[in-house]
């Protein structure tokens, strides 16, 4: 069979490659500790799953769900966002349900790009950001993000000829895989840049809550909601308050441990929402209504489970980083997300795929090679904190044995 050429750039996928390596390790008898995929191992809260379970016996939920049928969910999203960031959102024109934020980042280029147009993407960055551009027939200009620049892109380095052909920029902070947080001042610069060059600004925001500041203490100490917001990872609309150029994607996968339920949403400029809605209408209907009922319960119900999840990942982060530093692997302490982004030692400083392949084959510890996230990710490895502290410490002991044998 002959397939479309648009599939060719999609052949290298970091997660698929590591899946094969993990399968080979298991076949060889290894007990795999899988730190390669950022899928939360924590359960969704009982009030969320109860809402879904109660929906099953309601036969009115069993049919197709069109846009108008999602009104309750969109209203819950708008209320959640305004309570969190103090910015009003119109649930009719500025909110769109998604099957996870990845659907939004993959489909948005179809609404914005013509074949040959450039999209400006972070390098390293999440693979689906590039995948959507390839499927739309666009070109990618990678914006390198380096440790010496706090993992923020330098807009001034983008060539004028590329900007002339560019239609969109994709940002994502807190950032996967580097764990960096962007300040509001950076977002203000990004919004001004996109207005000047007539770019759509896409912000992928799955780690909105996974920030390791002691926010609860800050609220109690100040009693000031504005001070609380300063400690959170900022939303793009704190810099684009009139929603002139931006759209932001959220998911319930991370904050509410609902990855398998595939539920997310977009908030943003009404024209961008309408355009993405057109693409979505050609591809799918919405999720089962019961899943959206669970999502409504998540957004409007008690938020203590979110804080508990953040604290769980903080403890895992501390245990893993301390263990790595204990074996002499000095890594920065992640300020956010569920990952550790570690610079590789010799002899793998420029071969992250080889490191990850050899590591899982030799020890059963699976991680994601930095090269899978882009050229500027080479020389790094990403570990996902999706196991208990005890298992993470066991993984580090195995890593130490591997390093001692190899170096």
């Amino acid at each position: 069979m002959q397939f479309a050429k648009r599939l060719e750039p999609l052949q290298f996928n970091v997660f698929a490659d590591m899946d094969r390596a993990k399968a080979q390790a298991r076949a060889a008898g290894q007990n795999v500790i899988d730190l390669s995929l950022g899928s939360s191992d924590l359960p969704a809260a009982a009030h969320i799953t109860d809402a879904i379970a109660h929906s099953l016996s309601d036969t009115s939920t069993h049919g197709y769900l069109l846009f108008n049928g999602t009104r309750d969910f969109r209203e819950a999203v708008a209320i959640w966002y305004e309570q969190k960031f103090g910015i009003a959102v119109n649930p009719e024109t500025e909110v769109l349900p998604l099957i996870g934020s990845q659907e939004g980042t993959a489909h948005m280029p179809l609404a914005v790009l013509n074949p040959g147009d450039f999209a400006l993407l972070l390098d390293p960055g999440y693979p689906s950001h590039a995948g959507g551009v390839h499927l739309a027939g666009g070109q990618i200009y990678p914006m390198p993000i380096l440790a010496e620049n706090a993992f923020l892109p330098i807009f001034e380095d983008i060539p004028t000829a590329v900007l002339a052909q560019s239609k969109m920029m994709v940002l994502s902070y807190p950032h996967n895989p580097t764990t960096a947080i962007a300040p509001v001042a950076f977002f203000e610069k990004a919004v001004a840049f996109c207005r000047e060059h007539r770019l759509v600004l896409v912000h992928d925001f799955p780690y909105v809550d996974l920030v390791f500041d002691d926010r609860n203490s800050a609220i109690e100490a100040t009693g000031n909601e504005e001070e609380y917001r300063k400690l959170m990872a900022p939303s793009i609309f704190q810099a684009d308050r009139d929603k002139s150029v931006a759209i932001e994607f959220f998911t319930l996968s991370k904050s509410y441990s609902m990855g398998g339920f595939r539920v997310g949403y977009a908030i943003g400029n009404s024209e961008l929402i309408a355009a993405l809605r057109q693409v979505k209408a050609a591809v799918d209907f919405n999720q089962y209504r019961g899943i959206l009922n669970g999502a409504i319960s998540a957004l409007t119900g008690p938020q203590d489970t979110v804080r508990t999840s953040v604290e769980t990942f903080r403890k895992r982060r501390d245990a893993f980083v301390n263990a790595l530093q204990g074996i002499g692997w000095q890594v920065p302490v992640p300020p956010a997300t569920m990952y550790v982004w570690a610079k590789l030692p010799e002899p793998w400083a420029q071969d992250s795929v080889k490191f990850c392949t050899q590591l899982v084959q030799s020890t059963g510890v699976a991680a994601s090679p930095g090269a899978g996230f882009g050229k500027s990710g080479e020389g790094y490895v990403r570990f996902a904190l999706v196991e208990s502290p005890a298992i993470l410490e066991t993984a580090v002991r195995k890593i130490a044995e591997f390093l001692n044998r190899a170096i």
Side-chain angles (χ1 to χ4, degrees):
M1 293 184 182
Q2 292 185 342
F3 295 98
K5 291 182 178 179
R6 69 175 60 91
L7 294 183
E8 292 175 4
L10 307 180
Q11 291 177 357
F12 178 63
N13 182 292
V14 62
F15 301 120
D17 290 347
M18 284 310 301
D19 272 347
R20 285 190 287 271
K22 287 181 288 187
Q24 292 169 358
R26 290 188 179 100
Q30 289 285 1
N31 179 25
V32 173
I33 300 176
D34 192 355
L35 309 182
S36 67
L37 192 62
S39 179
S40 176
D41 60 312
L42 303 178
H47 66 277
I48 297 173
T49 54
D50 286 347
I52 297 171
H54 292 155
S55 300
L56 293 172
S57 59
D58 179 0
T59 58
S60 70
T61 69
H62 293 183
Y64 290 129
L65 182 61
L66 302 181
F67 180 78
N68 285 335
T70 68
R71 182 177 292 110
D72 289 348
F73 173 70
R74 287 182 280 113
E75 289 175 347
V77 166
I79 292 169
W80 172 90
Y81 185 87
E82 184 168 3
Q83 289 176 341
K84 200 171 194 71
F85 293 104
I87 298 170
V89 173
N90 185 329
E92 288 299 315
T93 61
E94 296 178 340
V95 179
L96 183 69
L98 298 172
I99 304 175
S101 65
Q102 185 165 326
E103 182 209 339
T105 58
H107 284 164
M108 196 71 227
L110 293 171
V112 173
L113 300 179
N114 290 315
D117 289 341
F118 271 99
L120 311 175
L121 306 186
L122 298 178
D123 175 20
Y126 191 65
S128 78
H129 299 170
V133 176
H134 289 310
L135 291 175
Q139 300 185 74
I140 293 171
Y141 179 81
M143 299 185 291
I145 55 174
L146 309 175
E148 54 263 36
N149 298 322
F151 295 112
L152 301 175
I154 305 300
F155 299 141
E156 293 78 8
D157 290 345
I158 303 170
T160 302
V162 170
L163 279 175
Q165 291 182 256
S166 297
K167 293 291 181 64
M168 66 185 291
M169 175 189 290
V170 181
L171 302 176
S172 183
Y173 292 95
H175 185 246
N176 175 15
T178 70
T179 80
I181 299 175
V184 173
F186 168 79
F187 281 152
E188 290 171 344
K189 183 176 180 180
V191 168
F193 185 85
C194 289
R195 284 174 178 160
E196 178 184 356
H197 296 283
R198 304 187 66 169
L199 304 174
V200 170
L201 179 50
V202 175
H203 185 230
D204 195 13
F205 203 17
Y207 301 98
V208 53
D209 291 304
L210 279 181
V211 178
F212 301 122
D213 289 313
D214 193 349
R215 293 176 289 172
N216 294 330
S217 296
I219 296 170
E220 293 169 2
T222 66
N224 187 316
E225 203 61 27
E226 284 302 315
E227 290 300 312
Y228 167 72
R229 293 189 184 108
K230 289 177 184 177
L231 292 171
M232 296 192 303
S235 163
I236 199 66
F237 299 116
Q238 290 172 266
D240 185 21
R241 299 185 79 91
D242 58 357
K243 307 181 187 72
S244 63
V245 296
I247 187 168
E248 193 160 57
F249 296 125
F250 299 82
T251 177
L252 279 77
S253 298
K254 311 303 181 184
S255 300
Y256 300 98
S257 302
M258 294 181 69
F261 295 95
R262 307 311 306 135
V263 56
Y265 46 93
I267 294 175
N269 174 278
S270 60
E271 292 180 276
L272 293 176
I273 291 289
L276 184 56
R277 182 180 167 189
Q278 284 183 280
V279 174
K280 185 176 176 66
V283 176
D284 63 65
F285 293 115
N286 294 286
Q287 301 92 327
Y288 167 53
R289 188 189 299 270
I291 290 176
L292 290 190
N293 289 342
I296 292 169
S297 181
L299 296 172
T300 62
Q303 300 299 298
D304 55 317
T305 56
V306 177
R307 292 188 287 271
T308 299
S309 294
V310 173
E311 188 58 28
T312 296
F313 283 110
R314 184 210 302 272
K315 290 177 180 177
R316 294 176 177 186
R317 174 201 67 176
D318 292 346
F320 192 67
V321 169
N322 289 340
L324 283 177
Q325 292 177 347
I327 66 171
W329 192 344
Q330 298 303 313
V331 298
V333 178
T337 77
M338 56 171 64
Y339 309 110
V340 170
W341 184 240
K343 198 167 183 62
L344 283 167
E346 294 290 350
W348 305 279
Q350 292 303 316
D351 200 342
S352 56
V353 174
K354 184 176 181 180
F355 171 83
C356 289
T357 302
Q358 291 181 339
L359 179 67
V360 72
Q361 289 173 346
S362 176
T363 69
V365 176
S368 290
F373 299 95
K375 182 179 178 181
S376 296
E378 184 56 279
Y380 286 85
V381 60
R382 192 198 73 175
F383 297 100
L385 302 171
V386 292
E387 296 284 358
S388 69
I391 293 177
L392 291 172
E393 288 166 350
T394 297
V396 174
R397 286 195 293 272
K398 290 175 175 287
I399 292 169
E401 294 169 3
F402 171 76
L403 294 176
N404 289 335
R405 288 196 300 268
I407 298 177

